[in-house]
Amino acid sequence: MPPRSPRPVDKFDDDDYPAYTMGRAAEMIGTAPAFLRSLGEHRLITPLRSEGGHRRYSRYQLRIAARARELVDAGTPIEAACRIIILEDQLEEAQRINESLRTRGATS
């Protein structure tokens, strides 16, 4: 998963800004709204809610949902796809931390 933007200039540059309705989000990743709801039920993504209670998705969440769709389309059960994505994210974070420590250690 691509890293989030470090310092957004405004909400349009913010990967975490909940800009997309469920219908638009589903259209963007080529799936049905029920797929997005199921990702929420499996706690892979938790969309924010508008004042009216409607789900709103960020670009970051859509990238995660698109990755889940790739896995599901390849035959992976949704529960397993969600777990795979969580583990990929944890691995990426661990690698970033290791690189940071390695870089800091080299400059000490």
Side-chain angles (χ1 to χ4, degrees), residues 67-93:
R67 175 68 177 130
R69 182 171 184 254
E70 287 174 10
L71 292 169
V72 170
D73 286 351
T76 306
I78 194 163
E79 298 85 6
C82 291
R83 185 67 182 138
I84 288 167
I85 293 167
I86 290 167
L87 290 170
E88 287 174 343
D89 192 50
Q90 290 172 346
L91 175 61
E92 185 178 309
E93 178 64 17

mmCIF file with all atom_site columns, all heavy atoms in Angstrom, residues 67-93:
data_model
loop_
_atom_site.group_PDB
_atom_site.id
_atom_site.type_symbol
_atom_site.label_atom_id
_atom_site.label_alt_id
_atom_site.label_comp_id
_atom_site.label_asym_id
_atom_site.label_entity_id
_atom_site.label_seq_id
_atom_site.pdbx_PDB_ins_code
_atom_site.Cartn_x
_atom_site.Cartn_y
_atom_site.Cartn_z
_atom_site.occupancy
_atom_site.B_iso_or_equiv
_atom_site.pdbx_formal_charge
_atom_site.auth_seq_id
_atom_site.auth_comp_id
_atom_site.auth_asym_id
_atom_site.auth_atom_id
_atom_site.pdbx_PDB_model_num
ATOM 1   N N   . ARG A 1 67 ? -7.217  -3.245  -3.035  1.00 0.00 ? 67 ARG A N   1
ATOM 2   C CA  . ARG A 1 67 ? -6.321  -4.401  -2.804  1.00 0.00 ? 67 ARG A CA  1
ATOM 3   C C   . ARG A 1 67 ? -7.137  -5.607  -2.361  1.00 0.00 ? 67 ARG A C   1
ATOM 4   O O   . ARG A 1 67 ? -6.899  -6.731  -2.825  1.00 0.00 ? 67 ARG A O   1
ATOM 5   C CB  . ARG A 1 67 ? -5.266  -4.039  -1.757  1.00 0.00 ? 67 ARG A CB  1
ATOM 6   C CG  . ARG A 1 67 ? -4.370  -5.182  -1.357  1.00 0.00 ? 67 ARG A CG  1
ATOM 7   C CD  . ARG A 1 67 ? -3.442  -5.626  -2.471  1.00 0.00 ? 67 ARG A CD  1
ATOM 8   N NE  . ARG A 1 67 ? -2.566  -6.677  -1.974  1.00 0.00 ? 67 ARG A NE  1
ATOM 9   C CZ  . ARG A 1 67 ? -2.378  -7.821  -2.602  1.00 0.00 ? 67 ARG A CZ  1
ATOM 10  N NH1 . ARG A 1 67 ? -2.947  -8.055  -3.767  1.00 0.00 ? 67 ARG A NH1 1
ATOM 11  N NH2 . ARG A 1 67 ? -1.589  -8.742  -2.088  1.00 0.00 ? 67 ARG A NH2 1
ATOM 12  N N   . ALA A 1 68 ? -8.118  -5.396  -1.489  1.00 0.00 ? 68 ALA A N   1
ATOM 13  C CA  . ALA A 1 68 ? -8.982  -6.495  -1.045  1.00 0.00 ? 68 ALA A CA  1
ATOM 14  C C   . ALA A 1 68 ? -9.740  -7.073  -2.233  1.00 0.00 ? 68 ALA A C   1
ATOM 15  O O   . ALA A 1 68 ? -9.863  -8.301  -2.369  1.00 0.00 ? 68 ALA A O   1
ATOM 16  C CB  . ALA A 1 68 ? -9.950  -6.010  0.024   1.00 0.00 ? 68 ALA A CB  1
ATOM 17  N N   . ARG A 1 69 ? -10.216 -6.209  -3.078  1.00 0.00 ? 69 ARG A N   1
ATOM 18  C CA  . ARG A 1 69 ? -10.954 -6.683  -4.267  1.00 0.00 ? 69 ARG A CA  1
ATOM 19  C C   . ARG A 1 69 ? -10.055 -7.520  -5.165  1.00 0.00 ? 69 ARG A C   1
ATOM 20  O O   . ARG A 1 69 ? -10.476 -8.551  -5.694  1.00 0.00 ? 69 ARG A O   1
ATOM 21  C CB  . ARG A 1 69 ? -11.514 -5.505  -5.052  1.00 0.00 ? 69 ARG A CB  1
ATOM 22  C CG  . ARG A 1 69 ? -12.307 -5.985  -6.247  1.00 0.00 ? 69 ARG A CG  1
ATOM 23  C CD  . ARG A 1 69 ? -13.056 -4.857  -6.926  1.00 0.00 ? 69 ARG A CD  1
ATOM 24  N NE  . ARG A 1 69 ? -13.847 -5.444  -7.986  1.00 0.00 ? 69 ARG A NE  1
ATOM 25  C CZ  . ARG A 1 69 ? -13.550 -5.339  -9.276  1.00 0.00 ? 69 ARG A CZ  1
ATOM 26  N NH1 . ARG A 1 69 ? -12.509 -4.655  -9.660  1.00 0.00 ? 69 ARG A NH1 1
ATOM 27  N NH2 . ARG A 1 69 ? -14.319 -5.903  -10.179 1.00 0.00 ? 69 ARG A NH2 1
ATOM 28  N N   . GLU A 1 70 ? -8.792  -7.109  -5.343  1.00 0.00 ? 70 GLU A N   1
ATOM 29  C CA  . GLU A 1 70 ? -7.850  -7.900  -6.142  1.00 0.00 ? 70 GLU A CA  1
ATOM 30  C C   . GLU A 1 70 ? -7.733  -9.314  -5.590  1.00 0.00 ? 70 GLU A C   1
ATOM 31  O O   . GLU A 1 70 ? -7.761  -10.294 -6.342  1.00 0.00 ? 70 GLU A O   1
ATOM 32  C CB  . GLU A 1 70 ? -6.458  -7.266  -6.127  1.00 0.00 ? 70 GLU A CB  1
ATOM 33  C CG  . GLU A 1 70 ? -6.294  -6.011  -6.922  1.00 0.00 ? 70 GLU A CG  1
ATOM 34  C CD  . GLU A 1 70 ? -4.916  -5.391  -6.718  1.00 0.00 ? 70 GLU A CD  1
ATOM 35  O OE1 . GLU A 1 70 ? -4.029  -6.037  -6.102  1.00 0.00 ? 70 GLU A OE1 1
ATOM 36  O OE2 . GLU A 1 70 ? -4.716  -4.257  -7.168  1.00 0.00 ? 70 GLU A OE2 1
ATOM 37  N N   . LEU A 1 71 ? -7.570  -9.409  -4.285  1.00 0.00 ? 71 LEU A N   1
ATOM 38  C CA  . LEU A 1 71 ? -7.404  -10.716 -3.649  1.00 0.00 ? 71 LEU A CA  1
ATOM 39  C C   . LEU A 1 71 ? -8.670  -11.567 -3.770  1.00 0.00 ? 71 LEU A C   1
ATOM 40  O O   . LEU A 1 71 ? -8.599  -12.756 -4.078  1.00 0.00 ? 71 LEU A O   1
ATOM 41  C CB  . LEU A 1 71 ? -7.006  -10.548 -2.180  1.00 0.00 ? 71 LEU A CB  1
ATOM 42  C CG  . LEU A 1 71 ? -5.610  -9.976  -1.939  1.00 0.00 ? 71 LEU A CG  1
ATOM 43  C CD1 . LEU A 1 71 ? -5.426  -9.596  -0.481  1.00 0.00 ? 71 LEU A CD1 1
ATOM 44  C CD2 . LEU A 1 71 ? -4.538  -10.973 -2.371  1.00 0.00 ? 71 LEU A CD2 1
ATOM 45  N N   . VAL A 1 72 ? -9.811  -10.939 -3.524  1.00 0.00 ? 72 VAL A N   1
ATOM 46  C CA  . VAL A 1 72 ? -11.084 -11.664 -3.613  1.00 0.00 ? 72 VAL A CA  1
ATOM 47  C C   . VAL A 1 72 ? -11.344 -12.106 -5.050  1.00 0.00 ? 72 VAL A C   1
ATOM 48  O O   . VAL A 1 72 ? -11.767 -13.245 -5.292  1.00 0.00 ? 72 VAL A O   1
ATOM 49  C CB  . VAL A 1 72 ? -12.241 -10.813 -3.044  1.00 0.00 ? 72 VAL A CB  1
ATOM 50  C CG1 . VAL A 1 72 ? -13.588 -11.432 -3.344  1.00 0.00 ? 72 VAL A CG1 1
ATOM 51  C CG2 . VAL A 1 72 ? -12.069 -10.633 -1.532  1.00 0.00 ? 72 VAL A CG2 1
ATOM 52  N N   . ASP A 1 73 ? -11.053 -11.249 -5.998  1.00 0.00 ? 73 ASP A N   1
ATOM 53  C CA  . ASP A 1 73 ? -11.233 -11.600 -7.406  1.00 0.00 ? 73 ASP A CA  1
ATOM 54  C C   . ASP A 1 73 ? -10.326 -12.765 -7.813  1.00 0.00 ? 73 ASP A C   1
ATOM 55  O O   . ASP A 1 73 ? -10.647 -13.522 -8.732  1.00 0.00 ? 73 ASP A O   1
ATOM 56  C CB  . ASP A 1 73 ? -10.961 -10.406 -8.319  1.00 0.00 ? 73 ASP A CB  1
ATOM 57  C CG  . ASP A 1 73 ? -12.083 -9.373  -8.295  1.00 0.00 ? 73 ASP A CG  1
ATOM 58  O OD1 . ASP A 1 73 ? -13.145 -9.647  -7.702  1.00 0.00 ? 73 ASP A OD1 1
ATOM 59  O OD2 . ASP A 1 73 ? -11.874 -8.283  -8.868  1.00 0.00 ? 73 ASP A OD2 1
ATOM 60  N N   . ALA A 1 74 ? -9.197  -12.915 -7.122  1.00 0.00 ? 74 ALA A N   1
ATOM 61  C CA  . ALA A 1 74 ? -8.261  -14.007 -7.409  1.00 0.00 ? 74 ALA A CA  1
ATOM 62  C C   . ALA A 1 74 ? -8.660  -15.296 -6.687  1.00 0.00 ? 74 ALA A C   1
ATOM 63  O O   . ALA A 1 74 ? -7.948  -16.301 -6.771  1.00 0.00 ? 74 ALA A O   1
ATOM 64  C CB  . ALA A 1 74 ? -6.849  -13.596 -7.015  1.00 0.00 ? 74 ALA A CB  1
ATOM 65  N N   . GLY A 1 75 ? -9.777  -15.248 -5.933  1.00 0.00 ? 75 GLY A N   1
ATOM 66  C CA  . GLY A 1 75 ? -10.272 -16.454 -5.282  1.00 0.00 ? 75 GLY A CA  1
ATOM 67  C C   . GLY A 1 75 ? -10.019 -16.554 -3.794  1.00 0.00 ? 75 GLY A C   1
ATOM 68  O O   . GLY A 1 75 ? -10.350 -17.562 -3.168  1.00 0.00 ? 75 GLY A O   1
ATOM 69  N N   . THR A 1 76 ? -9.439  -15.522 -3.207  1.00 0.00 ? 76 THR A N   1
ATOM 70  C CA  . THR A 1 76 ? -9.172  -15.528 -1.771  1.00 0.00 ? 76 THR A CA  1
ATOM 71  C C   . THR A 1 76 ? -10.457 -15.198 -1.017  1.00 0.00 ? 76 THR A C   1
ATOM 72  O O   . THR A 1 76 ? -11.120 -14.214 -1.357  1.00 0.00 ? 76 THR A O   1
ATOM 73  C CB  . THR A 1 76 ? -8.093  -14.474 -1.428  1.00 0.00 ? 76 THR A CB  1
ATOM 74  O OG1 . THR A 1 76 ? -6.946  -14.710 -2.234  1.00 0.00 ? 76 THR A OG1 1
ATOM 75  C CG2 . THR A 1 76 ? -7.717  -14.518 0.038   1.00 0.00 ? 76 THR A CG2 1
ATOM 76  N N   . PRO A 1 77 ? -10.809 -15.977 -0.011  1.00 0.00 ? 77 PRO A N   1
ATOM 77  C CA  . PRO A 1 77 ? -11.991 -15.624 0.792   1.00 0.00 ? 77 PRO A CA  1
ATOM 78  C C   . PRO A 1 77 ? -11.803 -14.246 1.434   1.00 0.00 ? 77 PRO A C   1
ATOM 79  O O   . PRO A 1 77 ? -10.673 -13.862 1.774   1.00 0.00 ? 77 PRO A O   1
ATOM 80  C CB  . PRO A 1 77 ? -12.047 -16.714 1.865   1.00 0.00 ? 77 PRO A CB  1
ATOM 81  C CG  . PRO A 1 77 ? -11.259 -17.853 1.304   1.00 0.00 ? 77 PRO A CG  1
ATOM 82  C CD  . PRO A 1 77 ? -10.199 -17.227 0.433   1.00 0.00 ? 77 PRO A CD  1
ATOM 83  N N   . ILE A 1 78 ? -12.877 -13.521 1.609   1.00 0.00 ? 78 ILE A N   1
ATOM 84  C CA  . ILE A 1 78 ? -12.779 -12.145 2.098   1.00 0.00 ? 78 ILE A CA  1
ATOM 85  C C   . ILE A 1 78 ? -12.106 -12.064 3.468   1.00 0.00 ? 78 ILE A C   1
ATOM 86  O O   . ILE A 1 78 ? -11.320 -11.154 3.721   1.00 0.00 ? 78 ILE A O   1
ATOM 87  C CB  . ILE A 1 78 ? -14.146 -11.431 2.085   1.00 0.00 ? 78 ILE A CB  1
ATOM 88  C CG1 . ILE A 1 78 ? -13.929 -9.933  2.275   1.00 0.00 ? 78 ILE A CG1 1
ATOM 89  C CG2 . ILE A 1 78 ? -15.085 -12.019 3.110   1.00 0.00 ? 78 ILE A CG2 1
ATOM 90  C CD1 . ILE A 1 78 ? -15.100 -9.087  1.878   1.00 0.00 ? 78 ILE A CD1 1
ATOM 91  N N   . GLU A 1 79 ? -12.380 -13.025 4.345   1.00 0.00 ? 79 GLU A N   1
ATOM 92  C CA  . GLU A 1 79 ? -11.748 -13.016 5.674   1.00 0.00 ? 79 GLU A CA  1
ATOM 93  C C   . GLU A 1 79 ? -10.229 -13.116 5.535   1.00 0.00 ? 79 GLU A C   1
ATOM 94  O O   . GLU A 1 79 ? -9.486  -12.407 6.211   1.00 0.00 ? 79 GLU A O   1
ATOM 95  C CB  . GLU A 1 79 ? -12.254 -14.174 6.546   1.00 0.00 ? 79 GLU A CB  1
ATOM 96  C CG  . GLU A 1 79 ? -13.723 -14.142 6.835   1.00 0.00 ? 79 GLU A CG  1
ATOM 97  C CD  . GLU A 1 79 ? -14.573 -14.793 5.737   1.00 0.00 ? 79 GLU A CD  1
ATOM 98  O OE1 . GLU A 1 79 ? -14.018 -15.384 4.770   1.00 0.00 ? 79 GLU A OE1 1
ATOM 99  O OE2 . GLU A 1 79 ? -15.800 -14.690 5.837   1.00 0.00 ? 79 GLU A OE2 1
ATOM 100 N N   . ALA A 1 80 ? -9.783  -14.016 4.656   1.00 0.00 ? 80 ALA A N   1
ATOM 101 C CA  . ALA A 1 80 ? -8.348  -14.195 4.434   1.00 0.00 ? 80 ALA A CA  1
ATOM 102 C C   . ALA A 1 80 ? -7.751  -12.963 3.755   1.00 0.00 ? 80 ALA A C   1
ATOM 103 O O   . ALA A 1 80 ? -6.647  -12.541 4.097   1.00 0.00 ? 80 ALA A O   1
ATOM 104 C CB  . ALA A 1 80 ? -8.094  -15.447 3.602   1.00 0.00 ? 80 ALA A CB  1
ATOM 105 N N   . ALA A 1 81 ? -8.470  -12.375 2.808   1.00 0.00 ? 81 ALA A N   1
ATOM 106 C CA  . ALA A 1 81 ? -7.981  -11.179 2.125   1.00 0.00 ? 81 ALA A CA  1
ATOM 107 C C   . ALA A 1 81 ? -7.756  -10.045 3.121   1.00 0.00 ? 81 ALA A C   1
ATOM 108 O O   . ALA A 1 81 ? -6.732  -9.361  3.066   1.00 0.00 ? 81 ALA A O   1
ATOM 109 C CB  . ALA A 1 81 ? -8.966  -10.748 1.037   1.00 0.00 ? 81 ALA A CB  1
ATOM 110 N N   . CYS A 1 82 ? -8.694  -9.878  4.034   1.00 0.00 ? 82 CYS A N   1
ATOM 111 C CA  . CYS A 1 82 ? -8.557  -8.825  5.046   1.00 0.00 ? 82 CYS A CA  1
ATOM 112 C C   . CYS A 1 82 ? -7.334  -9.081  5.923   1.00 0.00 ? 82 CYS A C   1
ATOM 113 O O   . CYS A 1 82 ? -6.555  -8.163  6.213   1.00 0.00 ? 82 CYS A O   1
ATOM 114 C CB  . CYS A 1 82 ? -9.826  -8.739  5.893   1.00 0.00 ? 82 CYS A CB  1
ATOM 115 S SG  . CYS A 1 82 ? -11.253 -8.107  4.974   1.00 0.00 ? 82 CYS A SG  1
ATOM 116 N N   . ARG A 1 83 ? -7.140  -10.323 6.320   1.00 0.00 ? 83 ARG A N   1
ATOM 117 C CA  . ARG A 1 83 ? -5.987  -10.662 7.167   1.00 0.00 ? 83 ARG A CA  1
ATOM 118 C C   . ARG A 1 83 ? -4.677  -10.441 6.406   1.00 0.00 ? 83 ARG A C   1
ATOM 119 O O   . ARG A 1 83 ? -3.706  -9.934  6.962   1.00 0.00 ? 83 ARG A O   1
ATOM 120 C CB  . ARG A 1 83 ? -6.103  -12.108 7.644   1.00 0.00 ? 83 ARG A CB  1
ATOM 121 C CG  . ARG A 1 83 ? -5.038  -12.505 8.619   1.00 0.00 ? 83 ARG A CG  1
ATOM 122 C CD  . ARG A 1 83 ? -5.193  -11.752 9.933   1.00 0.00 ? 83 ARG A CD  1
ATOM 123 N NE  . ARG A 1 83 ? -4.112  -12.124 10.829  1.00 0.00 ? 83 ARG A NE  1
ATOM 124 C CZ  . ARG A 1 83 ? -3.450  -11.269 11.581  1.00 0.00 ? 83 ARG A CZ  1
ATOM 125 N NH1 . ARG A 1 83 ? -3.797  -10.005 11.606  1.00 0.00 ? 83 ARG A NH1 1
ATOM 126 N NH2 . ARG A 1 83 ? -2.491  -11.662 12.349  1.00 0.00 ? 83 ARG A NH2 1
ATOM 127 N N   . ILE A 1 84 ? -4.640  -10.831 5.146   1.00 0.00 ? 84 ILE A N   1
ATOM 128 C CA  . ILE A 1 84 ? -3.441  -10.635 4.318   1.00 0.00 ? 84 ILE A CA  1
ATOM 129 C C   . ILE A 1 84 ? -3.083  -9.156  4.251   1.00 0.00 ? 84 ILE A C   1
ATOM 130 O O   . ILE A 1 84 ? -1.919  -8.769  4.415   1.00 0.00 ? 84 ILE A O   1
ATOM 131 C CB  . ILE A 1 84 ? -3.648  -11.214 2.907   1.00 0.00 ? 84 ILE A CB  1
ATOM 132 C CG1 . ILE A 1 84 ? -3.639  -12.744 2.965   1.00 0.00 ? 84 ILE A CG1 1
ATOM 133 C CG2 . ILE A 1 84 ? -2.594  -10.691 1.923   1.00 0.00 ? 84 ILE A CG2 1
ATOM 134 C CD1 . ILE A 1 84 ? -4.142  -13.410 1.691   1.00 0.00 ? 84 ILE A CD1 1
ATOM 135 N N   . ILE A 1 85 ? -4.071  -8.313  4.024   1.00 0.00 ? 85 ILE A N   1
ATOM 136 C CA  . ILE A 1 85 ? -3.817  -6.874  3.904   1.00 0.00 ? 85 ILE A CA  1
ATOM 137 C C   . ILE A 1 85 ? -3.318  -6.298  5.223   1.00 0.00 ? 85 ILE A C   1
ATOM 138 O O   . ILE A 1 85 ? -2.398  -5.484  5.252   1.00 0.00 ? 85 ILE A O   1
ATOM 139 C CB  . ILE A 1 85 ? -5.076  -6.146  3.402   1.00 0.00 ? 85 ILE A CB  1
ATOM 140 C CG1 . ILE A 1 85 ? -5.360  -6.591  1.964   1.00 0.00 ? 85 ILE A CG1 1
ATOM 141 C CG2 . ILE A 1 85 ? -4.916  -4.631  3.484   1.00 0.00 ? 85 ILE A CG2 1
ATOM 142 C CD1 . ILE A 1 85 ? -6.724  -6.210  1.462   1.00 0.00 ? 85 ILE A CD1 1
ATOM 143 N N   . ILE A 1 86 ? -3.897  -6.730  6.324   1.00 0.00 ? 86 ILE A N   1
ATOM 144 C CA  . ILE A 1 86 ? -3.431  -6.277  7.643   1.00 0.00 ? 86 ILE A CA  1
ATOM 145 C C   . ILE A 1 86 ? -1.980  -6.684  7.849   1.00 0.00 ? 86 ILE A C   1
ATOM 146 O O   . ILE A 1 86 ? -1.150  -5.885  8.302   1.00 0.00 ? 86 ILE A O   1
ATOM 147 C CB  . ILE A 1 86 ? -4.347  -6.821  8.751   1.00 0.00 ? 86 ILE A CB  1
ATOM 148 C CG1 . ILE A 1 86 ? -5.708  -6.127  8.681   1.00 0.00 ? 86 ILE A CG1 1
ATOM 149 C CG2 . ILE A 1 86 ? -3.708  -6.654  10.126  1.00 0.00 ? 86 ILE A CG2 1
ATOM 150 C CD1 . ILE A 1 86 ? -6.792  -6.790  9.521   1.00 0.00 ? 86 ILE A CD1 1
ATOM 151 N N   . LEU A 1 87 ? -1.645  -7.926  7.495   1.00 0.00 ? 87 LEU A N   1
ATOM 152 C CA  . LEU A 1 87 ? -0.266  -8.396  7.658   1.00 0.00 ? 87 LEU A CA  1
ATOM 153 C C   . LEU A 1 87 ? 0.692   -7.659  6.720   1.00 0.00 ? 87 LEU A C   1
ATOM 154 O O   . LEU A 1 87 ? 1.818   -7.330  7.121   1.00 0.00 ? 87 LEU A O   1
ATOM 155 C CB  . LEU A 1 87 ? -0.194  -9.902  7.422   1.00 0.00 ? 87 LEU A CB  1
ATOM 156 C CG  . LEU A 1 87 ? -0.855  -10.754 8.511   1.00 0.00 ? 87 LEU A CG  1
ATOM 157 C CD1 . LEU A 1 87 ? -0.938  -12.206 8.060   1.00 0.00 ? 87 LEU A CD1 1
ATOM 158 C CD2 . LEU A 1 87 ? -0.116  -10.617 9.829   1.00 0.00 ? 87 LEU A CD2 1
ATOM 159 N N   . GLU A 1 88 ? 0.259   -7.375  5.489   1.00 0.00 ? 88 GLU A N   1
ATOM 160 C CA  . GLU A 1 88 ? 1.093   -6.590  4.570   1.00 0.00 ? 88 GLU A CA  1
ATOM 161 C C   . GLU A 1 88 ? 1.380   -5.208  5.146   1.00 0.00 ? 88 GLU A C   1
ATOM 162 O O   . GLU A 1 88 ? 2.511   -4.716  5.077   1.00 0.00 ? 88 GLU A O   1
ATOM 163 C CB  . GLU A 1 88 ? 0.395   -6.442  3.214   1.00 0.00 ? 88 GLU A CB  1
ATOM 164 C CG  . GLU A 1 88 ? 0.364   -7.681  2.377   1.00 0.00 ? 88 GLU A CG  1
ATOM 165 C CD  . GLU A 1 88 ? -0.449  -7.542  1.101   1.00 0.00 ? 88 GLU A CD  1
ATOM 166 O OE1 . GLU A 1 88 ? -1.272  -6.598  0.980   1.00 0.00 ? 88 GLU A OE1 1
ATOM 167 O OE2 . GLU A 1 88 ? -0.279  -8.383  0.207   1.00 0.00 ? 88 GLU A OE2 1
ATOM 168 N N   . ASP A 1 89 ? 0.359   -4.586  5.728   1.00 0.00 ? 89 ASP A N   1
ATOM 169 C CA  . ASP A 1 89 ? 0.515   -3.261  6.321   1.00 0.00 ? 89 ASP A CA  1
ATOM 170 C C   . ASP A 1 89 ? 1.473   -3.311  7.511   1.00 0.00 ? 89 ASP A C   1
ATOM 171 O O   . ASP A 1 89 ? 2.330   -2.441  7.658   1.00 0.00 ? 89 ASP A O   1
ATOM 172 C CB  . ASP A 1 89 ? -0.856  -2.726  6.731   1.00 0.00 ? 89 ASP A CB  1
ATOM 173 C CG  . ASP A 1 89 ? -0.814  -1.258  7.083   1.00 0.00 ? 89 ASP A CG  1
ATOM 174 O OD1 . ASP A 1 89 ? -0.267  -0.468  6.285   1.00 0.00 ? 89 ASP A OD1 1
ATOM 175 O OD2 . ASP A 1 89 ? -1.328  -0.897  8.167   1.00 0.00 ? 89 ASP A OD2 1
ATOM 176 N N   . GLN A 1 90 ? 1.341   -4.339  8.339   1.00 0.00 ? 90 GLN A N   1
ATOM 177 C CA  . GLN A 1 90 ? 2.233   -4.476  9.493   1.00 0.00 ? 90 GLN A CA  1
ATOM 178 C C   . GLN A 1 90 ? 3.674   -4.700  9.044   1.00 0.00 ? 90 GLN A C   1
ATOM 179 O O   . GLN A 1 90 ? 4.607   -4.138  9.629   1.00 0.00 ? 90 GLN A O   1
ATOM 180 C CB  . GLN A 1 90 ? 1.766   -5.618  10.394  1.00 0.00 ? 90 GLN A CB  1
ATOM 181 C CG  . GLN A 1 90 ? 0.491   -5.317  11.133  1.00 0.00 ? 90 GLN A CG  1
ATOM 182 C CD  . GLN A 1 90 ? -0.057  -6.519  11.879  1.00 0.00 ? 90 GLN A CD  1
ATOM 183 O OE1 . GLN A 1 90 ? 0.361   -7.661  11.662  1.00 0.00 ? 90 GLN A OE1 1
ATOM 184 N NE2 . GLN A 1 90 ? -1.006  -6.271  12.762  1.00 0.00 ? 90 GLN A NE2 1
ATOM 185 N N   . LEU A 1 91 ? 3.856   -5.507  8.013   1.00 0.00 ? 91 LEU A N   1
ATOM 186 C CA  . LEU A 1 91 ? 5.196   -5.748  7.486   1.00 0.00 ? 91 LEU A CA  1
ATOM 187 C C   . LEU A 1 91 ? 5.809   -4.463  6.941   1.00 0.00 ? 91 LEU A C   1
ATOM 188 O O   . LEU A 1 91 ? 6.969   -4.147  7.212   1.00 0.00 ? 91 LEU A O   1
ATOM 189 C CB  . LEU A 1 91 ? 5.155   -6.818  6.388   1.00 0.00 ? 91 LEU A CB  1
ATOM 190 C CG  . LEU A 1 91 ? 6.474   -7.079  5.665   1.00 0.00 ? 91 LEU A CG  1
ATOM 191 C CD1 . LEU A 1 91 ? 7.544   -7.570  6.637   1.00 0.00 ? 91 LEU A CD1 1
ATOM 192 C CD2 . LEU A 1 91 ? 6.255   -8.082  4.543   1.00 0.00 ? 91 LEU A CD2 1
ATOM 193 N N   . GLU A 1 92 ? 5.034   -3.701  6.185   1.00 0.00 ? 92 GLU A N   1
ATOM 194 C CA  . GLU A 1 92 ? 5.526   -2.439  5.636   1.00 0.00 ? 92 GLU A CA  1
ATOM 195 C C   . GLU A 1 92 ? 5.947   -1.484  6.749   1.00 0.00 ? 92 GLU A C   1
ATOM 196 O O   . GLU A 1 92 ? 6.998   -0.843  6.675   1.00 0.00 ? 92 GLU A O   1
ATOM 197 C CB  . GLU A 1 92 ? 4.449   -1.802  4.767   1.00 0.00 ? 92 GLU A CB  1
ATOM 198 C CG  . GLU A 1 92 ? 4.907   -0.557  4.051   1.00 0.00 ? 92 GLU A CG  1
ATOM 199 C CD  . GLU A 1 92 ? 3.814   0.006   3.158   1.00 0.00 ? 92 GLU A CD  1
ATOM 200 O OE1 . GLU A 1 92 ? 3.245   -0.745  2.367   1.00 0.00 ? 92 GLU A OE1 1
ATOM 201 O OE2 . GLU A 1 92 ? 3.547   1.221   3.291   1.00 0.00 ? 92 GLU A OE2 1
ATOM 202 N N   . GLU A 1 93 ? 5.139   -1.407  7.793   1.00 0.00 ? 93 GLU A N   1
ATOM 203 C CA  . GLU A 1 93 ? 5.473   -0.536  8.931   1.00 0.00 ? 93 GLU A CA  1
ATOM 204 C C   . GLU A 1 93 ? 6.752   -1.014  9.621   1.00 0.00 ? 93 GLU A C   1
ATOM 205 O O   . GLU A 1 93 ? 7.619   -0.209  9.960   1.00 0.00 ? 93 GLU A O   1
ATOM 206 C CB  . GLU A 1 93 ? 4.311   -0.495  9.923   1.00 0.00 ? 93 GLU A CB  1
ATOM 207 C CG  . GLU A 1 93 ? 4.580   0.343   11.151  1.00 0.00 ? 93 GLU A CG  1
ATOM 208 C CD  . GLU A 1 93 ? 4.775   1.823   10.870  1.00 0.00 ? 93 GLU A CD  1
ATOM 209 O OE1 . GLU A 1 93 ? 4.406   2.294   9.781   1.00 0.00 ? 93 GLU A OE1 1
ATOM 210 O OE2 . GLU A 1 93 ? 5.316   2.523   11.752  1.00 0.00 ? 93 GLU A OE2 1
#
